[in-house]
Each structure stands twice: as C-alpha cells, then as structure tokens.
C-alpha cells in the first residue's frame, strides 16, 4: 500500500479540544485514494475511464442533479462565506488544509457551478470567484471530495443548514459519470450488487461462519444460541453490516444480537441474499445504486415473509434504513402506492419499521424480557462515541435525540462505569471517527489518522481523568477505523467495541425459560 | 422634470422589476425542484409545527450560527436586526397615510439608532474577513463589495438622519409618485442620490448573488423537513418513475 510518511498529530494534556490550527494551503493536495479501473466502474453503470468529452458531460450531469435535488440547488446558491463552518470539520482540524474547511470544500464545486449556471459567474467570473472546469479542478475535486466523510457536522452549525455531504455526494456522482470513480467505494458497491454483501462472502461461507459462531457461544456459555439464516417465517429479518460476520470486534456484537433474540424468545433470521446493511450507494451520491442495493433487503423480507426488519450496528446503514428505506423500497409505513403497500401490509406495525437493534434491545430491557448482570462488565470503564450518521442523520425511538439516549441507556443497563466525553464532542456535535463516507481504505491512511484527531483528543481526556478503557460505538466503520487508528495515538486497538458487545457480556441466558 | 429625477425613477422601476422577477424566478425554482430524500439534520422536529418553530428560531435568532461562533452570530445578528428595524422605520416614506405603528415615536427613534447596530455589525463582519485567516481564505472580491455596498447604504442614510437632513417631504412625494406611476421631482441632494443609487444596486444584485440566502434558508431541506421517514413514504416524482 501507499507508503505512509506522515507524522501523527500530538495530543495535548488536560483538554478535550485542540486549538484551531492556522491554515496550511495545499497540505493534503496530493493525498488521493486509488482511482477505480474500468471493470469496477462499469459494474455500477459508469464509464470505465475518463471520457474524451468529460468536461461537457460533467457540466451536463451537474445540470441534471440541480434539477433533481433541491438541496444541491439551494446549498450552491445560499452560502455567504460567513466562516461559521471553517473550524467544524475534523479533517480541517487534523490537517490544517484550508480546502478541508467545509465552505472551501463546497467552493470547489460552487466555483464551477457559478461559471456555468449563474449570471454573475458567466459574465463576472473574477468578481464572484467562478472558474472554468479544467483537469486541475477535476484533480482537486478527486482529492478533496474523497477527504470528506459526509458526516454532516458542518450542517449542524451552518445558519442555512448547508450540508457538505450533499455537495460531496453530488461531486462524486459527477466524477463517476465522467469515468473518474474511487476504487474503494465502487469496488465494494459492485460486490454488494453481485454477491449480496460488501465483503463478497458467498452464502456457503456465511453459513460456515455462523455455524462456527454457534459452537463458540455454546462452548462459552453452555447455551445453544442459534444464528439462523434464510429461515422462512421467522419474525425478524436482521440486516447487519457484513463486517459483523468476520471482523473483530464487530463479531462480538453479532453474538450480542443473537443472545438478545435468544433470551427474549424472538424468532429471527439473517438472509444470504441480503447479508449487508451497509450501502455505499449513499457515499457516492447515486440514488440508483443506493436503491438497487436496498432492493435486496426488500426482496429478502418479502421472500422470507418476516414481520419485522431490524438493522444491526452500522452508522450509514442506519441512516439509509431509517431515512431512506421507506422511500427507496417501502420498508416503513404510510405508503399509499402499490409498490410500498405490497411490503407494508406484511410488516407488523406495532413495531417501528425498520427498527434499530438498539431500539429492540432497549424495549426488551424496559419490559424485563431480558436480564442483565452489570457486574459482568466491571472490568470495563466505558465511554460512548456517537457515530455521525446515527447522530445527525437518523433517530431512534419516539423523541428527537432518541439516538443519543437509547444506546447510552443500554450501556448503563449493562455496565457500572460509564462516562461521557466532553459535551461539545458528542451528541449532534460528535466528531466523525475519520474513516466514514468511503474513506476506510489504506490508501487514505494519512487522512484517516489526522481526521481522527479531534475524537482522539476528547477520548484522551476521559482516559486520563476517568481511566476509560472501552469506547463503545454502534458503527462498523467506526469500529474498523478506530481499531486501525487508536494505536497511532498510543491507545490499544482493543479499546473499541460495540454496544451489543457489552450486552453480550452482561446478558443472562436461560433465565427466561 | 430634471434628468436626475427621470434617471432615478427609471432606475427604481428597473431595480424593482429585477428584484421581484429575479426572486420570483429563484423561489419558483427552489419550490419546484424536488427533494427526493429525507435529509433533515437531526435531532429534528417530528411534526410540522416543530419545523415551523425550528425555522423561526433559525431566521429570527440565528440558532445554528449561535451554536457555531459567537462573534459571527453577534455581528451577523446586529446587522440583520438593525437592518430590519431601519427598514420598518422606512415604511413611512412609502405610505400615505402612514400606519400608526410606523409613526410611533418609539419605532421612529429605534429605526434611527438601529442604524448604528447595523453598521457596527457590518464592520465587525468585514473585519473578520481580514483578521481571521480561515475567513480571509474563503473571501471573494464580491464578498467585500457587498459589505461595502451595505456599509455605504448605512453611512449615507445615517448622514441624512444625524448630520445633514435631506428634503424628506420631497423624497416622500417622489416615492409615493413612483408607486402611483407619477413622476415627481427628486430632491437633488448628493447624499440622498448616493443612498438611493446604492439601494437600487443592492436590489439589482440581490437575485444574482449570495443574498439568495434569504429565500434559500426557507427551502433548505436539512432545516425544513419533518423527521418522520418511517411513518410516511416520501417519494419524489422522478424517483417514483423508477418503480414502473
């Protein structure tokens, strides 16, 4: 992989936040992820290489997106360059590259928008900072739109709610449309379309893995907890990130979900054709690809005849499931059209569709349907990292902010020692892990390590002051990113884990029989 | 009738037409472009009433900006509120008879002194464009010019209020005339002419500049959407086509 010759930023003592760095223009200009080859591009319906008429096509695609997405149109017009967002991006705080300030990142696209779509930009380009689309601009787009994790932190602080994630997604879609795609995201999305999950695990491999996990749980607990797959007539279809099947610490949470269903006596199943909750169609801003990936889940739900669809611990997957599934596939309620009704008549609307696994578990805890022994987690001093897509793009439960409350309540029900990080670094102001939005690739390690800086600083404070030794999170990307990045900052990689890993440790099996 | 009067009459008709038609065109564009996905920045209100309140806090109090940066909030809010109060006082030049509320001593006095807040806010915002390296980096020439334009409007207006009074009766006759398509003579006071020319310029650039943030904020899907995607199927017309 690309040689990493960067320096890990230094953490400070006795503070949760670092000073805002002075700008260093061009600091991250050359840092780019690998470009997708023709096979990868074509699987997603994009040109295999940069089109000869790419400029015309890019402008044309921008025009199409402007007519399809009100958000893009408003966001490109409304910015007044007030500067409110300039210190809000973790990539700016970690790299000091001014193009990682949300407004400057947006300007990379906005300058071209102005030139081709606005009166002022057409006739007075210098005055308003409008520029022609050139190779150099495309190169900057490719650098900086893949140094954004689409975490939406900037959108919280913008007086007009301008969401850089929407701009980044549009820019990526424009680049894909002219044949300039990112290898990492597009390859994974291709695997999902072809095989059914991001890891490219075929059904038989998945069955073997699940059988192995059942044996492990039996050996550990003496209880035959099952991990069923393709069980028609099960009540719950669980859709979880495929990392849960193989990666550490993800698999510990999968075991946790299985124990919860077992202890509560709920019949459930995984699906070999919809064995992925993640949906990288979101990251590249492709409605069509996102919809195609989500349709696998609709088909599995219809095929298996389940009454409930539940989503495992994955941040962007929960955003897609919570916010978009009803739109894309009809997993939800309130449809008046035949397509949506077909599935919605099958689902049990006493439960929210879809539900997050944390909503399921919290509901069972409140009902007393599962029993937890907090002291089993006494060796852990826990904090909670709010994952960006859960925090700022979704909800749990019935009230705004339920996505902050429910995971914390579960943790408190499972552990005696819980401490939050500094208030400005959690909840809606949470810092992204640094690896989301299609950046979780080794070729972007410098971006990932530096982007994790604000979270690492806040973590250091609770490690120093509260002796925290476990950072729980509910996102597969956060888990993978932190596992890799924690050691750069001198923390053990085993510090990160899932909320259901804590549940798994504390849950009392067999008590409800 | 002097050339100056004809020029300013023409200028105001043109500027008003550009402002109204330009804004109408943009508002139509925003309103008619679909928002295919639910993208409110959460936590978000779960009811329409909640969204109205969120939007009200946003446009009246600048809630998000307050969370973000207290200096920008202070200067930005001073400027906007100052401008609103000043504009309200200005209604008297366009009304006959003048609304009771506008002719209140308090409203007229507030409208005079709010101009100080307005200009102070603008100077604060402008200073940031030089003093903060991050803001300097993102500032374009047009950002400076718009601030200059607004400060110019403020200073010329304040000069007529506090330094050298203009023929306000003549001005009102001119304005009321324009509104009735009659051209009455404009008092030829250089301060007044500068003030009106700058205001007309602002009206002309409004629909083709970043001043579109004013209508734009109401159409921002991250702020104006209800957080209820699980309860209601939200489908844009072009997205519904994909299901056929």
């Amino acid at each position: 992989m690309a040689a990493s010759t960067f320096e890990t930023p230094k953490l400070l003592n006795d503070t949760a936040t670092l000073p805002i760095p002075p700008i260093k223009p061009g600091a991250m200009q050359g840092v780019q992820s690998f470009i997708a080859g023709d096979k990868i591009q074509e699987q997603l319906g994009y040109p295999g290489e940069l089109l000869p008429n790419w400029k015309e096509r890019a402008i044309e695609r921008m025009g199409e997106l402007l007519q399809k997405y009100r958000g893009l149109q408003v966001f490109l017009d409304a910015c007044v360059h007030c500067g409110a967002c300039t210190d809000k991006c973790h990539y700016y705080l970690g790299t000091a590259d001014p193009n990682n300030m949300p407004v400057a990142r947006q300007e990379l696209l906005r300058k071209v928008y102005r030139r081709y779509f606005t009166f002022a930009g057409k006739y007075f380009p210098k005055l308003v900072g409008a520029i022609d689309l050139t190779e150099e601009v495309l190169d900057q787009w490719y650098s900086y739109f893949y140094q954004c994790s689409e975490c939406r932190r900037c959108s919280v602080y913008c007086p007009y709610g301008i969401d850089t994630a929407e701009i980044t997604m549009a820019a990526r879609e424009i680049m894909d449309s002219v044949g300039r795609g990112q290898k990492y995201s597009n390859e994974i999305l291709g695997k999902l379309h072809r095989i059914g999950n991001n890891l490219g695990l075929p059904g038989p491999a998945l069955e073997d893995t699940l059988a192995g996990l059942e044996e492990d749980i039996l050996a550990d607990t003496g209880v035959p907890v099952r991990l069923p797959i393709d069980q028609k007539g099960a009540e719950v279809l669980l859709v979880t990130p495929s990392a849960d099947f193989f990666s550490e610490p993800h698999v510990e949470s999968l075991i946790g979900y299985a124990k919860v269903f077992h202890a509560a006596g709920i019949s459930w199943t995984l699906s070999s054709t919809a064995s992925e909750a993640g949906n990288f169609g979101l990251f590249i801003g492709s409605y069509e690809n996102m919809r195609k990936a989500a349709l696998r889940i609709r088909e599995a739900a219809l095929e298996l005849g389940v009454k409930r669809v539940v989503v495992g611990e994955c941040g962007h997957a929960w955003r897609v499931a919570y916010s978009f599934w009803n739109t894309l596939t009809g997993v939800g309620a309130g449809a008046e059209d035949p397509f949506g009704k077909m599935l919605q008549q099958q689902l049990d609307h006493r439960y929210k569709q879809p539900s997050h696994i944390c909503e399921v578990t919290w509901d069972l805890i409140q009902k007393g349907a599962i029993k937890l022994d907090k002291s089993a987690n006494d060796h852990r001093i826990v904090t909670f990292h709010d994952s960006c897509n859960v925090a700022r793009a979704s909800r749990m439960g019935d009230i705004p902010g339920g996505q902050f409350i429910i995971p914390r309540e579960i943790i408190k029900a499972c552990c005696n020692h819980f401490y939050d990080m500094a208030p400005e670094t959690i909840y809606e102001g949470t810092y992204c892990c640094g690896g989301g939005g299609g950046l979780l690739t080794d070729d972007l390690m410098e971006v990932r390590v530096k982007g994790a800086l604000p979270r690492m600083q806040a973590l250091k404070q609770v490690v120093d002051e509260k002796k925290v030794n476990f950072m729980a999170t509910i996102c597969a990307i956060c888990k993978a990113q932190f596992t890799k990045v924690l050691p750069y900052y001198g923390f053990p990689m085993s510090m990160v884990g899932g909320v259901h890993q804590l549940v798994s440790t504390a849950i009392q099996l067999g008590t409800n029989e | 009738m002097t050339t100056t009067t004809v020029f300013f009459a023409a200028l105001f008709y043109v500027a008003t037409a550009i402002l109204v038609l330009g804004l109408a065109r943009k508002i139509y564009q925003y309103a008619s472009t679909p928002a295919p996905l639910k993208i409110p920045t959460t936590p978000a209100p779960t009811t329409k009433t909640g969204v109205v309140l969120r939007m009200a806090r946003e446009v009246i109090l600048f809630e998000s900006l307050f969370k973000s940066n207290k200096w920008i909030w202070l200067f930005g809010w001073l400027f906007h509120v100052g401008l609103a109060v000043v504009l309200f006082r200005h209604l008297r030049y366009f009304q006959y008879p003048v609304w009771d509320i506008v002719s209140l001593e308090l409203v007229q006095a507030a409208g005079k002194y709010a101009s100080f807040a307005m200009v102070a806010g603008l100077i604060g915002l402008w200073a940031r464009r030089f003093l903060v390296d991050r803001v300097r980096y993102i500032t374009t020439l047009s950002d400076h010019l718009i601030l200059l334009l607004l400060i110019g409007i403020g200073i010329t207006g304040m000069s007529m209020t506090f330094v050298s009074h203009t023929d306000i009766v003549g001005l009102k006759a001119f304005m009321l005339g324009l509104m009735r398509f009659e051209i009455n003579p404009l008092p030829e006071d250089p301060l007044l002419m500068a003030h009106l020319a700058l205001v007309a310029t602002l009206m002309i650039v409004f629909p083709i500049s970043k001043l579109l943030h004013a209508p734009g904020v109401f159409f921002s899907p991250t702020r104006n959407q209800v957080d209820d995607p699980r309860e209601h199927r939200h489908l844009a017309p072009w997205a519904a086509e994909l299901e056929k």
Side-chain angles (χ1 to χ4, degrees):
Chain A
M1 300 310 319
S4 49
T5 51
F6 61 92
E7 224 174 296
T8 305
K10 296 276 175 291
L11 299 179
L12 305 180
N13 289 322
D14 305 318
T15 175
T17 52
L18 289 151
I20 304 163
I23 60 169
K24 275 192 236 158
M28 298 295 280
Q29 171 66 55
V31 182
Q32 290 187 341
S33 46
F34 297 144
I35 293 172
D38 54 354
K39 286 210 180 68
I40 291 174
Q41 284 293 94
E42 282 158 11
Q43 278 179 20
L44 304 185
Y46 294 123
E49 53 184 34
L50 196 62
L51 295 170
N53 63 338
W54 68 271
K55 278 179 212 170
E56 292 74 28
R57 180 64 193 127
I59 300 304
E60 185 191 14
R61 188 71 188 131
M62 188 185 288
E64 291 164 8
L65 295 177
L66 285 165
Q67 288 179 11
K68 283 180 147 185
Y69 294 90
R70 177 194 301 159
L72 183 65
Q73 179 68 58
V74 171
F75 297 160
L76 288 178
D77 280 338
C79 178
V80 301
H81 299 164
C82 72
C85 62
T86 55
D87 59 345
K88 300 301 184 278
C89 176
H90 51 289
Y91 293 115
Y92 174 70
L93 296 173
T95 68
D97 187 319
N99 279 335
N100 279 330
M101 301 187 299
V103 49
R105 196 188 309 284
Q106 297 162 18
E107 283 295 301
L108 295 174
L109 193 73
R110 195 177 279 126
K111 282 176 183 172
V112 175
Y113 160 73
R114 284 202 200 98
R115 185 75 180 102
Y116 297 90
F117 294 93
T118 71
F119 175 85
K122 277 178 196 162
Y123 300 103
F124 308 100
K126 290 231 168 67
L127 187 67
V128 294
I131 55 169
D132 289 324
L133 181 55
T134 60
E135 301 254 357
E136 199 190 344
V137 172
L138 180 67
D139 196 52
Q140 277 202 321
W141 282 5
Y142 192 74
S143 289
Y144 292 107
F145 287 118
Y146 285 100
Q147 292 184 30
C148 168
S149 58
E150 303 174 346
C151 83
R152 313 187 92 203
R153 190 167 193 268
C154 46
S155 84
V156 170
Y157 297 100
C158 174
Y160 320 115
I162 297 174
D163 182 4
T164 311
E166 293 293 310
I167 310 263
T168 292
M169 288 170 192
R172 291 180 181 182
E173 166 63 17
I174 292 167
M175 286 191 279
D176 272 326
S177 308
V178 301
R180 177 60 52 87
Q182 187 212 31
K183 177 170 182 267
Y184 171 73
S185 295
N186 292 5
E187 186 170 36
I188 283 180
L189 192 51
K191 273 186 207 157
L192 175 56
H193 287 335
R194 227 170 43 247
I195 301 165
N197 56 60
N198 288 355
L199 297 182
L201 295 171
L206 198 53
E207 283 167 33
D208 278 357
T209 306
L210 297 175
L213 288 175
E214 287 178 351
E215 283 169 30
D216 292 348
I217 301 172
L218 184 62
D220 279 353
T221 65
V223 180
V225 173
R226 298 223 35 235
L227 285 105
I229 186 159
D230 296 332
Q231 303 273 306
K232 281 199 178 175
E235 184 184 347
V236 169
L237 168 63
L238 177 78
V239 186
T240 203
S242 57
D244 282 5
F245 301 123
F246 270 94
S247 306
E248 279 289 343
H250 307 62
V251 72
E252 304 297 336
S253 282
L254 175 63
I255 292 171
Y257 322 146
K259 288 180 179 174
V260 167
F261 288 126
H262 177 92
I266 297 170
S267 72
W268 69 291
T269 185
L270 295 156
S271 160
S272 56
T273 56
S275 47
E276 178 62 64
N279 189 334
F280 280 26
L282 172 73
F283 295 161
I284 61 167
S286 167
Y287 190 98
E288 290 77 8
N289 274 295
M290 184 161 75
R291 179 168 182 272
K292 186 174 170 189
L295 282 174
R296 281 183 162 273
I297 290 143
R298 172 192 175 84
E299 281 152 22
L302 286 167
E303 161 88 19
L304 296 169
V306 294
K307 299 286 176 208
R308 303 167 67 182
V309 184
V310 174
V311 180
E313 295 181 355
C314 183
H316 84 279
W318 179 238
R319 178 183 191 183
V320 174
Y322 173 85
S323 294
F324 305 154
W325 270 1
N326 202 355
T327 296
L328 298 170
T329 66
V331 177
E336 286 160 7
D337 55 296
F339 177 89
K341 274 186 183 166
M342 184 178 163
L343 176 59
Q344 297 190 358
Q345 283 168 357
Q346 175 189 317
L347 298 172
D348 181 347
H349 292 288
R350 286 175 301 168
Y351 302 97
K352 293 198 187 301
Q353 305 287 357
S355 293
H356 193 281
I357 185 70
C358 285
E359 293 180 308
V360 174
T361 300
W362 178 232
D363 188 43
L364 295 170
I365 292 172
Q366 285 179 304
K367 283 187 196 148
I370 54 176
K371 302 263 182 301
L372 299 159
D373 173 15
K374 289 189 193 194
S375 66
N377 274 312
D378 274 352
H379 57 297
R380 289 172 171 146
I381 301 166
V382 180
T383 192
F384 181 67
H385 163 76
D386 289 288
S387 299
C388 54
N389 274 297
V390 177
R392 292 185 283 261
S394 80
R395 175 160 57 98
M396 291 180 201
D398 292 313
I399 55 163
Q403 69 271 35
F404 310 128
I405 300 164
I406 290 175
R408 283 177 173 78
E409 288 303 319
I410 296 175
I411 293 172
K412 288 183 211 158
C414 294
C415 308
N416 282 312
H417 312 294
F418 172 76
Y419 301 98
D420 258 322
M421 288 180 274
E424 65 272 31
T425 73
I426 56 172
Y427 286 56
E428 65 176 343
T430 188
Y431 284 109
C432 165
C433 65
L439 273 54
L440 192 73
T441 170
D442 285 350
D443 26 317
L444 288 175
M445 198 45 96
E446 180 172 357
V447 181
R448 290 169 55 187
V449 169
K450 292 181 174 174
L453 176 67
R455 172 46 76 224
M456 292 295 104
Q457 183 62 50
L459 176 65
K460 180 178 163 57
Q461 193 193 34
V462 286
V463 167
D464 290 349
E465 291 179 9
K466 306 291 182 189
K467 310 286 173 226
V468 161
N469 62 13
F470 192 90
M471 178 165 57
T473 184
I474 45 174
C475 174
I477 287 177
C478 293
K479 291 171 193 170
Q481 156 76 352
F482 285 135
T483 304
K484 201 83 178 243
V485 165
L486 282 166
Y488 281 85
Y489 289 95
F491 299 114
M493 62 155 72
S494 59
M495 261 187 90
V496 64
V499 166
H500 279 78
Q501 184 172 347
L502 300 172
V503 174
S504 176
T505 305
I507 197 165
Q508 301 295 289
L509 296 174
T511 51
N512 283 18
E513 279 160 26
Chain B
M1 195 167 312
T2 66
T3 324
T4 313
T5 296
V6 174
F7 172 78
F8 274 95
L11 179 64
F12 267 89
Y13 283 127
V14 170
T16 306
I18 291 177
L19 177 71
V20 171
L21 296 177
L23 276 183
R25 185 182 141 264
K26 285 310 283 193
I27 289 170
Y28 175 76
Q29 181 188 35
Y30 295 153
S32 61
T33 307
L37 293 167
K38 282 280 198 172
I39 59 166
T41 307
T42 58
T46 54
T47 61
K48 279 209 177 101
T49 316
V51 165
V52 170
L53 291 175
R54 180 187 205 178
M55 192 58 83
R57 291 196 305 275
E58 207 61 88
V59 299
I60 297 169
L61 304 174
F62 300 3
E63 182 182 41
S64 297
L65 190 56
F66 187 77
K67 281 185 217 166
S68 176
N69 185 307
K70 299 295 186 280
W71 284 114
I72 307 177
W73 177 84
L74 178 69
F75 295 139
W77 197 77
L78 273 180
F79 157 58
H80 282 90
V81 170
L83 178 63
V85 175
V86 168
L87 279 177
F88 194 69
R89 177 183 112 90
H90 274 64
L91 284 178
R92 65 188 282 202
Y93 305 130
F94 303 89
Q95 295 178 325
Y96 188 82
V98 177
W99 292 348
D100 288 349
I101 184 164
V102 176
S103 48
L104 281 181
E105 188 87 18
L106 181 73
V107 169
Q108 288 300 314
K112 285 180 192 168
Y113 293 100
S115 58
F116 288 96
M118 174 184 150
V119 172
L122 287 167
I123 290 170
L125 291 172
W126 205 11
R128 288 183 55 81
R129 298 209 175 274
F130 296 98
L131 299 177
V132 181
D133 69 341
R134 303 187 309 281
V135 184
R136 195 163 60 228
Y137 182 86
I138 56 168
T139 296
T140 62
L141 186 55
S142 58
D143 295 329
H144 288 300
L145 290 179
I146 285 179
L147 282 166
L148 200 63
L149 183 63
L150 288 163
I151 290 173
I153 291 171
I155 302 274
T156 50
M158 289 161 81
S159 304
M160 286 182 284
T161 306
F162 298 105
V163 183
S164 158
H165 288 282
T166 196
D167 173 4
I168 216 68
V169 177
L171 169 69
K172 181 158 179 173
F174 173 76
M175 282 299 170
L176 288 175
L178 286 186
M179 291 165 70
R180 289 160 178 71
F181 300 102
E182 291 162 17
I183 298 186
N184 297 325
L186 178 72
E188 302 213 0
D189 169 358
L191 270 178
L192 177 63
M193 290 191 290
H195 188 69
L196 294 183
L198 292 173
V199 169
T201 309
L202 185 72
M203 290 163 73
I204 290 167
V205 300
F206 205 106
I208 53 165
S209 68
K210 65 176 186 177
L211 302 177
L212 285 172
H213 68 279
V217 63
F218 294 99
F219 292 95
S220 177
T222 59
R223 293 291 182 272
N224 76 5
Q225 288 187 336
V226 179
D227 176 18
D228 61 355
R230 289 192 286 194
E231 289 75 24
H232 299 285
R233 187 152 198 254
H234 171 91
L235 203 58
W238 65 260
E241 286 299 308
L242 300 174
E243 283 166 14
K244 287 180 181 152

